[in-house]
């Protein structure tokens, strides 16, 4: 802290504000004292508790009504909305004589409004920087649909040359990429080339890297087009309008519209002060608003209309013309409390405070080295690390490398960060242009990634050795040095490798040892292993039941995960979403052909006949395999029971007898499962999960040594916390990692590798109460992490013998083969 303040003490902590950063945190963000480190302010900043108190007092002491009326309350609400418009214009230093503020449902809705109403013709041009959000790229559809051309551009900015006057500013060039057009042969030309309007769009701050764009672009595009667009096919075009996406940048440095008179500026209020969500604004020049072509009219935008003839008279004021329906007047009433907060700190002080944190983090990340000297972090868009440069906002975007130069997947970083209480963002952040540009992804890379199944928000973070996205941390006005320091400590402890060495025969690579191998078996040359328990889980994510013996079939244990619970919108319900599912107990009576289900939330036990003639596939199948119950009354009875048991509408599905090898992947969409040679019902990856008692005991020893508070609050883990089908005993911890095949009794199994664990093992059922914590996953991550996966337990496939009916029995000897 002392070193940080020595460098940034004049900028950090609001020394000249009514409250310093510590007082702000102590009085307005007490909820963050619970150990949460929130570092996604570029996605959405946090609301202040004082801000929400003031909003609540306002709403409980005043009456607001629909402004489309002449009553006193409605008139008062209209005055409040007018004041709110003035506050927005004032924030951007925009004169009401020049600009109007149109309230929308967010920045995206504001951009959509521009795209819909812009006066496109076949001769129009739409230019946009590569670093634009998807919501800006969507305007391209309106332009191309009207026969206009569109083109992505790169901005190149050169510093002043020796002898050049500083007042002349930097040299800015716009380099174009491929021009996009659609078939316009059927479109009729409406105007000549000289009358066409063109649109140039750029963000004030890139939400991918945090790099700020030079706002001189506004005047250069509007007044010096030919020079700025020199060498492109657009240099001769006239009548350019400029759109600034200020959704990200306006939280710290809002564009000054008196100095940089853009035609359109869009913003969202939750990016500024956290609340309200679902409210944004479009600031539009009044002279430009007259050129926009709005088709739809509604209540609020119409002065008069006649229902049975083609007659409508629209309102003339800009905001009244474009704000369809009743304004979101309660949300608009709330923004004055947010602006009051920002005014007490000032945007410039917020920028200095937040940027000091981002530069500190960038410098620390840049300096990190693995034990072999290799760099740990690749930063994107962070060439200038001087706070005085104003070139970057409070955003740090990066990827991490292993000692061998390969990439850590960004999802691994996010997963481990969550376990450490750090909330950050990963992916492309809805900015595909910046993502491709900074990650050096070619069109061929992007298209092949899509063909490989990669889409936004999936688990494919590294494809063909290249990251498909990045990690982003971003700071808000209430962020602290302690949070930045905790983040850096997390990166060092989780991803930085000390010098490679050999200790006790275990090669140390990264901070964590590789999974122990045969050296652990040296204590016992011929260890004995036995099957301790067999557990069946008839319904995915519900409790299972243990038996002494059970039949095997082509899907593994008979009836294991043969059912699942589905929400009404089609999503698969699991304990991660619905922890109460762990309280549903199950049992199958093979002789009676009954599945019995019980829950403390339901008075009666549920009995379901499971004989094959009780089911008959219907047309509404689930992924071509699961079929709802034929008998409607029976179906209703069962689904009502489960709805009561978990407290939400749902239905029970059963896996069919199809021999297809498709299954559900972790994204809950059809895909090829990892175990391609067998059927696995509704299991995630394999027919069986095997857990060793000795491995669980070793994990318990590590938990005891690590966290006394955890041990006081929780009982020792037992193997069933990990939902195993088979629990074995004997030998040393983790010897199962090295098994290739094994024989249990007379039955043969093939090991498919380790089981990648998730947050579900952090959910426990203690005395009928569902509890969540960060353990044991956090501890497992410290020594069982391999290539982004936290492995514990082994996945198995049963090698079925079609000639015999096989059973598996508790007490049978387990004979592994490690070769």
């Amino acid at each position: 802290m002392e070193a940080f303040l020595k460098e940034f003490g004049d900028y950090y902590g609001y020394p000249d504000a009514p409250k310093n950063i510590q007082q702000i945190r102590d009085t307005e963000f007490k909820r963050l004292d619970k150990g949460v480190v929130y570092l996604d302010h570029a996605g959405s900043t946090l609301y202040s508790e004082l801000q929400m108190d003031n909003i609540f007092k306002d709403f409980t002491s005043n009456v607001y009504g629909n402004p489309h009326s002449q009553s006193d309350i409605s008139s008062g609400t209209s005055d409040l909305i007018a004041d709110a418009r003035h506050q927005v214009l004032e924030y951007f230093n925009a004169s009401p004589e020049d600009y109007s503020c149109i309230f929308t449902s967010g920045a995206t809705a504001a951009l959509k409004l521009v795209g819909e109403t812009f006066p496109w013709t076949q001769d129009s041009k739409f230019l946009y920087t590569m670093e634009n959000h998807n919501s800006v790229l969507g305007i391209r559809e309106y332009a191309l649909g009207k026969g206009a051309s569109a083109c992505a551009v790169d901005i190149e900015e050169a510093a002043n040359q020796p002898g050049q006057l500083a007042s002349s500013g930097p040299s800015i060039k716009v380099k174009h990429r491929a021009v996009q057009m659609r078939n316009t042969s059927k479109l009729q030309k409406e105007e000549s080339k000289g009358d066409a309007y063109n649109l140039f769009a750029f963000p004030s701050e890139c939400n991918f890297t945090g790099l700020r764009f030079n706002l001189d672009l506004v005047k250069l595009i509007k007044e010096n087009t030919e020079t700025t667009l020199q060498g492109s096919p657009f240099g001769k075009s006239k009548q350019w309008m400029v759109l600034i996406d200020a959704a990200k940048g306006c939280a710290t440095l809002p564009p000054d519209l008196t100095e940089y008179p853009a035609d359109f500026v869009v913003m969202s209020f939750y990016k500024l002060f956290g609340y309200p969500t679902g409210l944004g604004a479009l600031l539009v020049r009044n002279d430009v608003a007259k050129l926009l072509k709005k088709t739809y009219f509604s209540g609020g935008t119409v002065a008069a209309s006649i229902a049975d003839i083609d007659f409508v008279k629209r309102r003339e004021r800009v905001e009244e013309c474009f704000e369809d329906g009743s304004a979101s007047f309660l949300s608009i009433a709330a923004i004055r409390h947010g602006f009051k907060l920002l005014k007490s700190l000032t945007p410039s002080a917020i920028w200095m405070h937040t940027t000091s944190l981002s530069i500190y983090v960038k410098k620390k990340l840049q300096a990190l080295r693995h034990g072999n000297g290799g760099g740990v972090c690749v930063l994107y868009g962070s060439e200038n690390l001087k706070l005085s440069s104003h070139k970057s906002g409070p955003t740090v975007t990066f990827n991490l490398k292993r000692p061998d130069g390969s990439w850590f997947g960004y999802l691994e970083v996010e997963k481990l960060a969550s376990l450490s209480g750090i909330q950050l963002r990963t992916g492309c952040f809805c900015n595909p242009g910046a993502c491709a540009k900074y990650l050096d992804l070619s069109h061929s890379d992007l298209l092949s990634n899509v063909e490989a199944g990669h889409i936004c928000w999936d688990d494919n973070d590294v494809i063909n050795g290249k990251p498909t996205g990045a990690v982003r941390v971003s700071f808000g006005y209430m962020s602290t040095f302690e949070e930045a320091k905790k983040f850096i400590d997390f990166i060092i402890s989780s991803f930085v490798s000390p010098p490679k060495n050999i200790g006790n025969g275990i090669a140390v690579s990264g901070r964590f040892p590789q999974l122990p191998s045969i050296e652990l078996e040296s204590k016992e040359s011929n260890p004995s292993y036995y099957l301790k328990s067999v557990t069946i889980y008839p319904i995915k994510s519900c409790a299972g039941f243990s038996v002494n013996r059970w039949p095997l079939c082509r899907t593994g244990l008979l009836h294991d995960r043969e059912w699942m619970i589905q929400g009404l919108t089609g999503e698969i319900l699991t304990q991660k979403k619905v922890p109460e599912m762990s309280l549903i107990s199950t049992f199958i009576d093979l002789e009676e052909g009954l599945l019995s289900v019980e829950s403390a939330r339901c008075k009666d036990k549920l009995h379901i006949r499971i004989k094959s003639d009780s089911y008959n596939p219907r047309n509404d199948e689930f992924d071509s395999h699961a079929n709802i119950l034929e008998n409607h009354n029976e179906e209703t009875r069962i689904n009502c029971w489960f709805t009561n048991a978990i407290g939400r509408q749902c239905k029970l599905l059963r896996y069919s007898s199809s021999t297809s090898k498709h299954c559900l992947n972790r994204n809950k969409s059809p895909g090829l499962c990892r175990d391609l040679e067998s059927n696995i019902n509704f299991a995630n990856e394999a027919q069986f999960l095997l857990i060793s008692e000795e491995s669980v005991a070793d994990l318990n020893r590590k938990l005891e040594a690590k966290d006394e508070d955890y041990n006081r609050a929780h009982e020792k883990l037992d193997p069933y916390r990990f939902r195993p089908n088979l629990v074995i005993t004997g030998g040393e911890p983790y010897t199962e990692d090295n098994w290739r095949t094994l024989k249990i009794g007379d039955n043969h199994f093939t090991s498919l590798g380790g089981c990648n664990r998730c947050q579900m093992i952090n959910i426990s059922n203690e005395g009928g109460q569902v509890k969540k914590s960060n353990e044991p996953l956090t501890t497992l991550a410290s020594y069982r992490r391999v290539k982004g996966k936290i492995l514990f337990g082994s996945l198995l496939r049963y090698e079925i013998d079609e000639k015999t009916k096989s059973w598996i029995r508790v007490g049978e000897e387990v004979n592994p083969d490690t070769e």
Side-chain angles (χ1 to χ4, degrees), residues 375-542:
V376 174
C377 183
V378 175
L379 292 168
Y380 302 115
S382 298
E383 290 78 14
N384 194 324
L385 297 184
K386 293 181 180 179
L387 194 143
S388 59
S389 72
H390 283 65
K391 288 289 183 67
S392 184
T395 297
V396 186
T397 305
F398 62 93
N399 273 311
L400 299 174
K401 283 193 168 186
R402 305 179 193 276
D404 63 3
S406 63
W407 297 98
F408 285 104
Y410 57 77
L411 287 175
E412 179 177 358
V413 181
E414 185 173 32
K415 183 177 182 180
L416 295 176
S418 293
L419 290 173
S420 298
I422 299 171
Q423 309 304 311
L424 44 76
R425 186 82 172 268
T426 64
C428 279
F429 326 121
C430 296
N431 196 324
C435 188
K437 181 175 179 176
Y438 289 99
L439 300 183
D440 194 26
L441 296 171
S442 66
H443 290 163
S444 176
D445 292 330
L446 297 171
L447 292 172
S448 65
N449 288 350
V450 172
E451 289 172 2
H454 174 50
I455 57 173
C456 296
W457 307 338
D458 68 10
D459 293 346
N460 297 308
D461 52 7
V462 178
I463 298 178
N464 296 324
K466 282 187 173 184
T468 60
V471 182
R472 185 185 74 187
V473 298
S474 49
F475 297 95
Y477 74 84
M478 76 299 295
S479 297
T480 64
F481 167 78
E482 289 77 11
E483 291 175 321
K485 175 76 163 53
K486 183 174 180 180
F487 169 73
I488 292 296
D489 290 344
F490 155 72
I491 293 294
I492 293 172
S493 64
S494 300
F495 299 99
V496 179
S497 168
K500 190 172 183 179
N501 59 74
I502 302 295
N504 298 323
I506 302 176
V508 175
S509 177
R511 183 157 291 265
F512 315 111
Q514 297 293 326
L515 299 187
S517 55
I518 57 173
E519 71 278 349
L520 290 174
E521 298 180 11
S522 60
K523 295 183 180 180
E524 191 174 346
S525 58
N526 293 302
S528 297
Y529 305 94
Y530 294 93
L531 186 59
K532 182 73 175 289
S533 72
V534 176
T535 305
I536 298 92
Y537 304 90
I539 304 174
K540 182 181 179 69
S541 241
C542 293

Side-chain angles (χ1 to χ4, degrees), residues 105-134:
S105 64
T108 294
L111 291 165
K112 185 170 181 280
L113 182 59
V114 173
E116 285 178 337
T117 61
F118 192 85
W120 304 109
T121 70
Q122 285 187 338
D123 297 321
S124 295
K125 314 290 190 296
F126 175 45
L127 267 60
Y128 53 92
T129 59
M130 278 290 286
E131 296 89 341
N132 265 302
H133 193 279
N134 264 325

Side-chain angles (χ1 to χ4, degrees), residues 125 193-194 196 198 225-227 229-240:
K125 314 290 190 296
K193 288 186 178 181
N198 308 293
T225 310
E226 191 167 348
T227 302
L229 299 180
Q230 187 175 9
S232 80
F234 312 107
K236 301 295 184 182
S237 300
K238 308 296 183 182
Q239 300 195 111
W240 282 93

Side-chain angles (χ1 to χ4, degrees), residues 539-543 561 563-567 570-584 646 648 650 664-668 682-684 723 758-761 763 770 772:
I539 304 174
K540 182 181 179 69
S541 241
C542 293
R561 285 162 291 195
W563 291 265
M564 59 160 280
I565 301 174
Q566 184 186 45
E571 77 278 19
I572 298 171
L573 301 184
T574 68
Q575 285 187 34
K576 283 186 283 187
K577 293 182 179 179
V578 190
E580 293 78 11
M581 290 176 68
S582 66
L583 304 178
I584 298 176
I646 67 172
R648 65 167 70 185
C650 62
L664 294 173
N665 62 24
R666 292 195 181 276
N667 292 322
K668 311 300 182 284
F682 286 125
N684 281 344
R723 296 179 63 81
C758 66
Q759 295 273 2
M760 191 162 158
I761 64 174
I763 301 170
V770 176
K772 289 183 178 181

Side-chain angles (χ1 to χ4, degrees), residues 197-209:
Y197 290 98
N198 308 293
L199 182 63
F200 185 94
F202 71 97
S204 61
E205 182 182 317
C206 173
N207 78 312
F208 188 93
T209 61

